[in-house]
């Protein structure tokens, strides 16, 4: 049967074969996307049946797939209707456990048919489906009914691929599952193939649906925000109906982030209880729906946003969805975020499983804004080097006719007035000071006042004859166009070829509007939602391949483009333009529910801040930023000698704790959420030999002391030396004590007053 299907769907073209071989490489997503662009006719061939699999098992009698890691089991099967039916997702089960063949749910009434009440892994819109479909298509003859059945599967180590097909038409769906052994995080995606003889339109495609265990006591956590106020953590009870988290903005956006966590409301806290969590790897418009259906089943479906979507698939073409990652933890929301952080470090980030530690950078944006020039930047570079900065970054303003945000975007040549000898003298100077050099770019945008726009007004997203809405005086280039993709790549490639640049801060300062693509046939215009992002990823990938030493930061006017898709190509992200160190406590807390602290760039900036006009000590500002990837963005020209001395000391300290903060396990000991007067985070190194904790007090009241800090994650019997980073430890503490002591007796810090901060670290001492 399987061999028959393989023959039926035919072997791939060269491009298809290339795709199949590429599946075993880490760049899977990019290559698959590239295959779409090539119009590959590849379809999976499942003739060989099952190979040996350590983490994935198929019980051919019961028709059940089972995936196990140390702490998690995920089980589903093929029911009598050839539907893929969810069985179990949660704490690891015994290997001795077996499962009966799944049977579809009979349905509740004539109003709630079996199609809806059976917990399906991936379901087409057809056969009377009312819950959120994973795939919806329209055929040219008007038929819109799609009913998918299991055809075959293949297991390759930790990857499972399942082929589904419509009951009568030659529409195939390849479901991909990949399980990460150490974290139990599952990666799922779907690829739809049109093998009919006519084009069809994909109107909705999800990457996956995740079915939660039956139950009603669920709570959803998600992230929301806006410019300068990103990463606000929200929670709500999951109730009958649907909650949609989404972006219709063309990119990830800050209004919602493509991450969710669902726990049992009554029985969970930071460190205990069941949590199911997930994140979408997609930097375009996206959607995650959390639905509690008529039978109270909770299902989470995610993928590219369905709004204004329509992807025409010609015969022989296929469309790949983005990856949707999900995991399970018994250790509360803290455990869930630690698993996700570990997964990002070991599977997502460039150079995974060992991404490079983030250098401490200086960025001049808040100091100079657009007024950058050779002399001014060299003066700042000298001062930055004196405190131990490792990377000097020139922000916006160095190129074209850029003296404000009204002009210049698109013209990526060095401004000859500001830098009469090009960037080389500045870069040489930065190098001579022992730092590497970074540069700001915003490659996807164009100002109407630019040479590029004057030459190519047709290169922007637009609808013919309609107004073009500007944001920050700029328009979106249509990166889906091959000529625009080539221009953007060549501009950046040239810049990197001609200058010794170690780092690009890749900015993106507006959302889409009028998302038209007049150069293609009207029925293909909506492909822009996919093709744009494919080209963005492919440019990033090609630049990284050609310039392997160059690191990239994803910035979008702050944190509007942070997701597991862009993080595959970028080493760090900019969480927010809000650099107020007190506001940052909340911003950073929210951020780290989904993303690892090591990718979270955090600058120490001037006080009072431009945001709230709040004054904070330099120590407080440093300690706030030292919870992530440390940077400095203050105007060093205004610093006094004592500021330089403080900064030098704290930069030195950060270098000592950097690995623990950037690669360690994060514990939220006291959360800053819900107006808390205090907050405390702790990071513990992977080998548990080092730990560092940061404590912040908003304001003392009524003589109350700062609460005792009970550490976590240490080795109970090992002896640890405690050292203050800033002398605010209680004098009653022993210098050395066991992990048990620090976790059970706890640590007291002397914090009194307003906006106070303290930090201390622990290190194992050999007995
Ligand atoms: C927005 C970024 O978030 C800022 O850090 C800065 O780079 C400006 N853009 C420059 O225009």
């Amino acid at each position: 049967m399987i061999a028959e299907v393989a023959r039926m769907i035919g072997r791939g073209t060269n491009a298809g074969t290339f795709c199949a071989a590429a599946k075993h490489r880490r760049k899977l997503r990019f290559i698959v996307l590239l295959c779409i662009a090539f119009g590959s006719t590849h379809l999976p061939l499942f003739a060989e049946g099952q190979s040996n699999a350590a983490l994935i098992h198929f019980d051919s009698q019961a028709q059940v797939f089972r995936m196990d890691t140390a702490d998690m089991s995920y089980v589903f099967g093929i029911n009598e209707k050839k539907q893929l039916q969810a069985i179990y997702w949660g704490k690891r089960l015994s290997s001795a456990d077996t499962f009966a063949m799944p049977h579809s749910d009979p349905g509740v009434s004539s109003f709630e048919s079996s199609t809806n009440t059976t917990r399906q892994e991936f379901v087409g819109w057809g056969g009377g489906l009312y819950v959120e479909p994973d795939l919806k298509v329209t055929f040219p003859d008007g038929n819109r009914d799609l009913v998918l059945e299991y055809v075959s599967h293949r297991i390759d180590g930790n990857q499972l691929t399942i082929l589904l097909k419509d009951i009568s038409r030659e529409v195939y769906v390849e479901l991909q599952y990949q399980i990460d052994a150490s974290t139990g995080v599952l990666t799922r995606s779907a690829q739809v193939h049109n093998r009919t003889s006519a084009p069809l339109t994909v109107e909705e495609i999800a990457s996956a649906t995740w079915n939660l265990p039956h139950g009603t006591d669920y709570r959803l956590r998600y992230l929301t925000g806006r410019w300068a106020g990103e990463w606000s953590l929200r929670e709500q009870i999951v109730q009958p109906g649907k909650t949609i988290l989404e972006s219709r903005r063309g990119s990830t956006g800050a209004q919602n982030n493509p991450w969710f966590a669902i726990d049992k409301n009554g029985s969970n806290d930071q460190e205990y209880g069941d949590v199911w969590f997930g994140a979408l790897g997609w930097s375009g418009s996206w959607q995650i729906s959390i639905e509690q259906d008529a039978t109270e089943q909770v299902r989470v479906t995610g993928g590219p946003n369905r709004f204004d979507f329509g992807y025409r698939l010609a015969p022989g073409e296929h469309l790949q969805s983005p990856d949707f990652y999900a995991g399970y933890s018994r250790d509360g929301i803290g455990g869930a975020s630690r698993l996700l952080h570990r997964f990002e470090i070991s599977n997502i980030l460039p150079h995974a499983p060992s991404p490079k530690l983030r250098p401490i950078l200086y960025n001049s944006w808040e100091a100079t804004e657009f007024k950058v020039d050779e002399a001014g930047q060299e003066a700042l570079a000298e001062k930055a080097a004196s405190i131990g900065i490792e990377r000097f970054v020139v922000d916006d303003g160095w190129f074209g006719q850029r003296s404000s945000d009204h002009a210049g975007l698109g013209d990526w040549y060095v401004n000859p007035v500001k830098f009469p000898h090009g960037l080389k003298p500045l870069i040489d100077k930065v190098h001579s000071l022992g730092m590497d050099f970074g540069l700001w770019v915003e490659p996807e945008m164009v100002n109407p006042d630019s040479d590029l726009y004057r030459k190519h007004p047709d290169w922007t997203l637009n609808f013919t004859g309609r107004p073009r809405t500007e944001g920050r005086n700029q328009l979106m280039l249509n990166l889906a166009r091959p000529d625009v993709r080539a221009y953007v790549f060549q501009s950046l490639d040239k810049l990197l070829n001609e200058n010794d640049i170690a780092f690009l801060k890749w900015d993106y300062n507006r959302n889409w509007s009028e998302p038209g693509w007049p150069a293609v046939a009207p029925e293909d215009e909506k492909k822009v939602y996919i093709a744009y992002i494919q080209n963005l990823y492919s440019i990033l990938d090609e630049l990284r391949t050609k310039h392997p030493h160059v690191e990239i930061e994803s910035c979008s006017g702050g944190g509007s483009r942070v997701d597991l898709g862009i993080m595959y190509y970028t080493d760090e992200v900019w969480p927010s333009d809000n650099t107020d160190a007190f506001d940052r406590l909340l911003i950073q807390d929210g951020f780290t529910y989904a993303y690892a602290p090591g990718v979270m760039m955090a600058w120490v900036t001037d006080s009072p801040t431009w945001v709230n006009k709040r004054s904070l000590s330099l120590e407080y500002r440093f300690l706030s930023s030292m919870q992530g990837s440390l940077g400095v963005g203050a105007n060093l020209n205004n610093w006094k000698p004592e500021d330089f001395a403080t900064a030098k000391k704290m930069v030195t300290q950060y270098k000592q704790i950097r690995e623990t903060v950037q690669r360690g396990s994060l514990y939220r000991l006291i959360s800053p959420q819900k107006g808390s007067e205090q907050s405390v985070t702790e990071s513990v190194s992977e080998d548990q030999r080092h730990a560092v904790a940061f404590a912040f007090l908003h304001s003392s009241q009524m003589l109350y002391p700062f609460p005792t800090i009970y550490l976590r994650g240490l080795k109970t019997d090992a002896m640890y030396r405690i050292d203050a980073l800033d002398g605010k430890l209680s004098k009653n503490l022993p210098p050395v004590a066991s992990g048990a002591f620090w976790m059970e007796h706890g640590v007291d810090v002397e914090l009194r007053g307003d906006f106070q901060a303290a930090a201390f670290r622990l290190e194992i001492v050999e007995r």
Side-chain angles (χ1 to χ4, degrees):
M1 164 67 183
I2 295 175
E4 200 177 301
V5 172
R7 258 199 316 281
M8 201 161 68
I9 56 187
R11 293 209 171 261
T13 61
N14 283 345
T17 312
F18 171 58
C19 294
K23 278 186 168 257
H24 300 287
R25 298 211 302 267
R26 194 171 166 265
K27 295 286 176 196
L28 170 67
R29 180 184 316 110
F30 164 67
I31 299 299
V32 170
L33 291 172
L34 201 66
C35 293
I36 303 169
F38 287 168
S40 153
T41 57
H42 158 70
L43 255 183
L45 304 176
F46 299 153
E48 287 91 40
Q50 181 178 351
S51 68
N52 279 346
L55 302 166
I56 306 177
H57 298 269
F58 180 60
D59 177 341
S60 54
Q61 282 216 305
Q63 299 280 287
V64 168
F65 298 97
R66 176 172 174 169
M67 303 181 203
D68 294 295
T69 57
D71 290 324
M72 190 230 46
S73 295
Y74 187 89
V75 188
F76 64 97
I78 308 162
N79 68 22
E80 81 290 355
K81 292 181 179 166
K82 297 190 193 167
Q83 297 163 332
L84 295 182
Q85 185 171 330
I87 297 177
Y88 176 82
W89 183 24
K91 185 83 180 153
R92 164 80 198 236
L93 302 173
S94 161
S95 331
D97 290 322
T98 54
F99 297 88
M101 186 175 183
H103 286 276
S104 61
D105 190 271
V108 177
S109 68
S110 57
F111 296 97
E112 306 301 338
S113 63
S114 168
T115 312
N116 294 282
T117 59
T118 301
R119 305 188 315 150
Q120 296 193 57
E121 287 278 296
F122 192 93
V123 60
W125 187 76
L129 187 83
Y130 314 119
V131 296
E132 201 70 34
D134 294 290
L135 185 61
K136 182 175 186 308
V137 302
T138 293
F139 295 95
D141 62 358
N143 173 37
R144 305 188 305 284
D145 187 60
L146 185 78
V147 177
L148 297 170
E149 289 183 343
Y150 167 88
V151 177
S152 62
H153 74 271
R154 182 183 182 95
I155 298 172
D156 278 315
N158 65 347
Q159 293 184 23
L160 164 67
T161 311
I162 298 176
L163 190 64
L164 308 176
K165 182 187 169 296
D166 177 60
I167 47 175
S168 69
R169 301 205 172 192
E170 296 293 301
V171 176
Y172 291 84
V173 179
E174 184 185 334
L175 298 185
Q176 297 131 351
Y177 292 77
Q178 182 162 327
I179 178 107
D180 178 51
S182 71
T183 59
V185 171
L186 260 167
T187 305
R188 288 182 58 188
S189 62
Q191 196 177 78
V192 53
H193 296 251
N194 179 8
R195 291 279 148 176
T196 70
S197 53
L200 58 80
T201 302
V202 177
E203 286 164 346
E204 301 185 1
I205 181 170
S207 304
T209 287
W210 306 95
N211 287 276
L212 267 69
H214 285 303
T216 53
D217 186 26
Y218 285 119
R219 167 177 57 178
L220 167 70
R221 282 194 174 94
Y222 64 99
L223 292 160
T224 178
R226 57 181 161 71
W227 178 75
E230 300 91 336
W231 308 106
S232 171
L233 183 73
R234 297 296 160 105
E235 54 182 62
Q236 67 185 43
I237 303 303
V238 176
Q239 288 183 324
K242 214 179 285 179
T243 297
I244 305 285
L245 308 177
E246 67 167 357
S247 162
R248 296 182 178 193
R249 297 162 185 262
S251 69
T252 323
Q255 189 178 358
N256 290 147
N257 187 266
W259 167 87
F260 72 91
I262 298 177
D263 66 11
K264 292 278 186 67
N265 183 34
S267 57
N268 274 65
D269 69 8
Q270 188 64 228
E271 296 298 330
Y272 181 78
D274 300 294
V275 181
W276 295 263
F277 59 93
L280 201 56
W282 187 239
S283 313
S285 290
W286 59 272
Q287 180 176 311
I288 296 177
S289 82
I290 297 94
E291 177 175 21
Q292 189 179 79
D293 68 18
T295 58
E296 298 191 318
Q297 171 62 40
V298 176
R299 56 186 97 215
V300 182
T301 305
N305 201 315
R306 287 122 200 257
F307 177 78
D308 198 35
F309 193 77
Y311 197 98
R312 200 167 77 111
L313 271 189
E317 284 185 342
H318 62 268
L319 173 64
Q320 168 74 38
S321 81
D323 289 338
F324 197 1
Y325 307 90
Y328 162 83
S329 170
R330 169 60 57 88
D331 300 322
I333 190 70
S337 46
R338 283 190 291 278
L339 282 180
L340 199 46
H341 297 168
R342 185 79 30 233
F343 179 75
E344 289 157 7
I345 290 168
S346 58
N347 286 269
I348 299 287
L349 288 168
H351 307 292
S354 309
K356 294 186 186 145
L357 291 176
R358 303 290 78 233
I360 304 169
L361 63 73
Y362 177 77
N363 180 299
S364 64
W365 172 246
E366 288 201 19
T368 63
E369 295 206 337
F370 299 96
K371 292 189 215 74
V372 293
D373 60 29
E374 191 177 303
Q377 293 291 302
E378 286 192 3
L380 285 168
E382 278 172 13
K383 296 183 170 96
S386 76
I387 58 170
I389 297 287
E390 298 160 321
R391 170 170 289 167
F392 185 82
V393 183
V394 174
D395 209 280
D396 199 348
W398 60 269
F399 56 92
Q401 297 306 306
R402 187 78 166 167
S403 52
S404 74
D405 61 15
H406 285 261
L409 287 174
D411 300 340
W412 299 110
Y413 62 86
V414 180
N415 182 290
V417 177
K418 297 178 180 187
F419 296 94
H421 315 288
L423 292 173
K424 190 166 186 318
L426 173 61
I427 295 177
D428 288 347
K429 172 86 177 181
V430 165
H431 288 166
S432 73
L433 291 164
M435 301 180 288
D436 67 23
F437 181 80
L439 197 62
W440 179 95
V441 289
E442 193 175 1
E444 299 154 78
M445 303 288 171
V446 64
N447 285 117
D449 185 1
S450 67
D451 296 344
L452 184 70
Y453 189 73
R454 283 182 280 272
K455 201 165 164 202
H456 294 292
D458 51 333
W459 276 14
T460 59
L461 289 176
N462 73 91
F463 290 120
T464 306
R466 305 288 302 172
R468 301 176 180 196
T469 304
E470 294 177 19
R472 206 194 189 199
N473 314 301
Q474 63 201 51
L475 295 168
M476 299 281 323
L477 287 174
N478 180 357
L479 212 57
R481 290 177 59 119
D483 45 8
V484 174
R485 190 232 177 261
Y487 176 80
V488 168
F489 174 78
Q490 281 155 17
S491 306
L492 296 171
D493 186 43
K494 184 164 182 283
L495 206 55
L496 296 175
N497 284 333
E498 291 176 356
N499 300 284
D500 193 349
I501 293 171
F503 172 82
L504 289 178
K505 174 177 171 180
W506 186 302
D507 209 346
Y508 178 96
N509 279 299
R510 59 160 294 178
N511 297 134
W512 290 22
S513 60
E514 298 96 17
W517 185 0
V520 297
E523 58 272 27
D524 282 329
E525 281 207 40
K526 289 180 178 174
K527 283 185 175 171
V528 71
Y529 286 108
I530 299 287
Y532 183 109
I533 306 299
Q534 286 170 8
N535 278 352
L536 169 66
Y537 289 160
S538 79
I539 291 171
L540 286 163
D541 190 76
E542 200 175 341
L543 283 174
R544 292 201 77 107
T545 306
K546 213 165 158 207
H547 306 277
H549 66 286
V550 174
E551 298 190 335
I552 303 176
E553 175 181 289
S554 171
C555 170
S556 175
S560 280
R561 190 156 66 186
V562 181
D563 60 79
L564 294 188
I566 203 79
M567 275 166 60
Y568 199 79
Y569 303 99
T570 55
D571 306 81
E572 63 189 50
V573 300
W574 180 234
S576 181
D577 274 359
N578 183 342
T579 56
D580 178 296
F582 174 69
D583 281 6
R584 274 279 176 143
L585 298 181
L586 261 184
I587 286 173
Q588 294 176 174
D589 183 74
F591 180 96
T592 58
Y593 276 82
Y595 303 107
V599 302
M600 181 176 74
M601 178 46 63
W603 301 348
V604 174
T605 55
D606 287 321
S607 178
T609 54
W610 68 267
V611 194
N612 300 313
K613 307 287 174 229
R614 179 184 288 121
S615 294
L616 297 165
S617 71
L618 191 53
E619 285 85 351
Y620 185 105
R621 284 177 274 151
F622 261 99
L623 292 180
S624 171
S625 294
M626 284 160 74
Q627 294 173 101
S629 178
L630 179 64
V632 176
N635 190 346
L636 303 180
N637 294 324
N638 298 336
W639 275 15
K640 300 188 179 64
E642 55 269 31
D643 296 327
F644 282 100
T646 303
K648 193 171 179 178
K649 180 187 86 183
M650 304 206 78
V651 164
T652 306
Q653 286 174 341
Y654 183 73
K655 288 176 182 169
Q656 290 157 2
I657 59 166
R658 161 168 37 198
E659 185 155 3
T660 304
V661 170
Q662 294 188 9
R663 295 286 168 268
S665 299
L666 175 72
Y667 295 86
R668 299 179 192 91
L669 303 184
I670 301 178
S671 162
Q673 300 289 336
K674 299 179 182 164
S676 169
E677 284 293 317
Q678 308 92 13
S679 68
V680 182
T681 64
E682 179 200 6
S683 301
V684 181
S685 65
E686 248 195 298
D687 61 8
Q688 296 172 288
R689 294 185 67 82
H690 302 271
V692 56
F694 299 90
F696 300 87
L697 171 67
H698 178 266
S699 47
S700 299
Q701 281 185 310
M702 314 282 184
L703 282 176
Y704 291 123
F706 196 88
T708 300
I709 299 168
Y710 298 99
L711 298 180
R712 300 190 72 97
L714 304 178
K715 290 183 182 175
T716 317
D717 295 331
M719 300 301 286
Y720 292 84
R721 170 181 301 285
I722 191 165
D723 282 305
L725 293 188
D726 58 358
K728 295 194 187 108
L729 280 178
S730 159
K731 301 200 171 35
N732 295 328
L733 292 171
V736 175
S738 67
F741 181 93
W742 300 122
M743 293 192 288
E744 306 304 332
H745 170 280
V747 179
D748 288 313
V749 290
E750 304 283 354
L751 280 184
R752 280 190 194 282
D754 296 339
F755 299 111
Q756 298 295 312
F760 55 89
R761 63 189 158 127
L762 294 102
E763 187 178 1
I764 279 194
V765 290
E766 308 301 344
R767 283 189 258 196

